[in-house]
Amino acid sequence: MSWNYTDSYEWMERVTSMEPLIITCCCNGGVQGKESHRGIPETPEEIADSVYEAYNEGASVVHVHGRDPNNLGDTTMDPEVMYRINALIRERCPDIIINNTTGGGPTSTMEDRLRSLDALPEMASLNMGPDMSRFVIKAREEALDYPRPSQEYDICIPFTYGFIEQLAAGMLEKGIIPEMEMYNSGQYWVAQKLISEGLIKTPYLFQFVMGYQTATYPTPENLIHMARELPAGAHFTVAGIGKYQWAMTTQSILLGGHVRVGLEDNIYLKRGQKLKNNAEAVAKIALISRELNREIATPEQARSMLGVSSIPSRY
């Protein structure tokens, strides 16, 4: 059950009895691939294997991006590719919550984002505003499939009120739970608009993305501020990007929120040591949570908390 996470008295009452921690594994991503870390899965089979390992360590939700089968160095939102990935994940993980991206990657079109819902995930990310960033993707070496030189992007993905409403309406029609991606507190204007129009139903799920370019700075004060603005009936999860992953997700555990970890957001276990795989990231945050007296949510518990059907999707 959601509660007022920033109420001092309520927090003191709940500090030793918070609900189990939902761990989302962001297993790959729409930007970097094996050129950044050989453990990032790219093919549908690799993705399913990686998710299975993370599931065994305690992940109850998986956030998935697709890769173009004709060019694994690039992303795809083709619903047929995403459906196949979802089906392979379900074969390996009978009850994990499957969350597909609608953010995609630098080469995705807005039509791609809308069509991706046809893969029928149980949950999907829903950006609450424009996505502006500048970055360089490392070169893919000759040892990898589809080698290419490094690429520089300077982009802004135009998530407008109207387009976000289209995505939310599509999710509502297909019974897909939206995971509202919040990059700053001003995006609550958009969330409140969706709520007022009946396009988002309780329990609401917000994800605070901390440490991403042009997003709110990843500080304890800012995370508390983001949580303070949550509407009634909301859960939140935190994604910390790069070196901020472990600090921000640990703070979320302490506040009563949930977490997202994995190779999409961060490739390091600790300073100077890379993660072996997604499972190692899930195992680390699960250990931190248990040490802080929060148990790990099973997929069944996560489904109940987030309003996802108790009957897992079939593909």
Side-chain angles (χ1 to χ4, degrees), residues 285-296:
I285 203 65
L287 175 62
I288 291 170
S289 186
R290 291 189 179 104
E291 289 294 312
L292 294 171
N293 292 311
R294 278 190 75 181
E295 291 305 310
I296 307 306

Side-chain angles (χ1 to χ4, degrees), residues 5-297:
Y5 303 95
T6 58
D7 183 301
S8 298
Y9 299 101
E10 191 166 5
W11 187 88
M12 287 188 289
E13 287 293 322
R14 293 176 179 269
V15 69
T16 57
S17 59
M18 291 181 182
E19 64 186 3
L21 181 78
I22 298 171
I23 301 176
T24 296
C25 175
C26 52
C27 65
N28 50 7
V31 179
Q32 61 185 8
K34 289 188 185 297
E35 68 278 357
S36 295
H37 189 298
R38 296 302 175 92
I40 295 176
E42 293 182 339
T43 69
E45 292 77 13
E46 287 175 345
I47 293 169
D49 287 344
S50 184
V51 172
Y52 178 67
E53 293 170 351
Y55 169 77
N56 285 335
E57 294 293 345
S60 53
V61 182
V62 60
H63 177 67
V64 187
H65 289 250
R67 287 273 160 174
D68 184 349
N70 298 311
N71 178 9
L72 292 174
D74 196 7
T75 190
T76 184
M77 302 190 76
D78 184 334
E80 291 188 8
V81 174
M82 295 305 300
Y83 192 93
R84 172 168 165 71
I85 293 170
N86 293 345
L88 289 174
I89 291 172
R90 179 59 75 229
E91 286 180 10
R92 305 296 303 277
C93 311
D95 53 358
I96 199 169
I97 298 171
I98 297 176
N99 174 340
N100 287 175
T101 182
T102 64
T107 61
S108 304
T109 67
M110 305 318 278
E111 180 59 30
D112 290 336
R113 295 179 170 92
L114 283 170
R115 288 183 58 244
S116 70
L117 298 178
D118 291 340
L120 301 177
E122 296 172 297
M123 184 182 291
S125 60
L126 179 59
N127 282 25
M128 289 290 102
D131 179 348
M132 186 173 76
S133 56
R134 176 189 285 171
F135 53 86
V136 175
I137 304 177
K138 294 174 65 175
R140 281 178 74 92
E141 302 170 358
E142 292 293 332
L144 295 173
D145 293 332
Y146 309 101
R148 53 149 178 78
S150 64
Q151 297 177 315
E152 182 173 358
Y153 287 92
D154 185 359
I155 58 175
C156 182
I157 302 173
F159 283 90
T160 63
Y161 270 97
F163 184 72
I164 294 167
E165 288 167 349
Q166 279 185 275
L167 278 174
M171 293 181 196
L172 184 63
E173 178 184 357
K174 297 176 187 299
I176 299 168
I177 303 296
E179 177 193 60
M180 289 177 275
E181 305 277 310
M182 299 284 292
Y183 295 88
N184 58 69
S185 62
Q187 292 177 346
Y188 276 115
W189 289 98
V190 183
Q192 290 290 357
K193 181 67 172 173
L194 296 177
I195 291 169
S196 69
E197 293 176 349
L199 293 173
I200 304 289
K201 306 295 185 183
T202 55
Y204 311 124
L205 176 60
F206 289 85
Q207 177 163 266
F208 303 146
V209 183
M210 312 295 292
Y212 185 77
Q213 289 181 32
T214 70
T216 298
Y217 282 165
T219 66
E221 180 182 14
N222 283 339
L223 179 51
I224 291 171
H225 175 66
M226 294 285 281
R228 184 175 288 119
E229 304 295 337
L230 285 164
H235 295 275
F236 76 93
T237 187
V238 171
I241 306 303
K243 65 181 181 180
Y244 307 110
Q245 181 168 88
W246 304 116
M248 299 314 298
T249 52
T250 298
Q251 188 181 351
S252 184
I253 295 169
L254 289 168
L255 280 176
H258 303 283
V259 299
R260 163 174 143 164
V261 297
L263 293 173
E264 175 179 358
D265 293 345
N266 166 52
I267 62 174
Y268 285 91
L269 178 70
K270 59 184 179 181
R271 184 185 303 172
Q273 182 178 338
K274 287 186 176 181
L275 288 160
K276 296 175 184 175
N277 49 33
N278 283 300
E280 191 170 30
V282 173
K284 175 170 179 170
I285 203 65
L287 175 62
I288 291 170
S289 186
R290 291 189 179 104
E291 289 294 312
L292 294 171
N293 292 311
R294 278 190 75 181
E295 291 305 310
I296 307 306

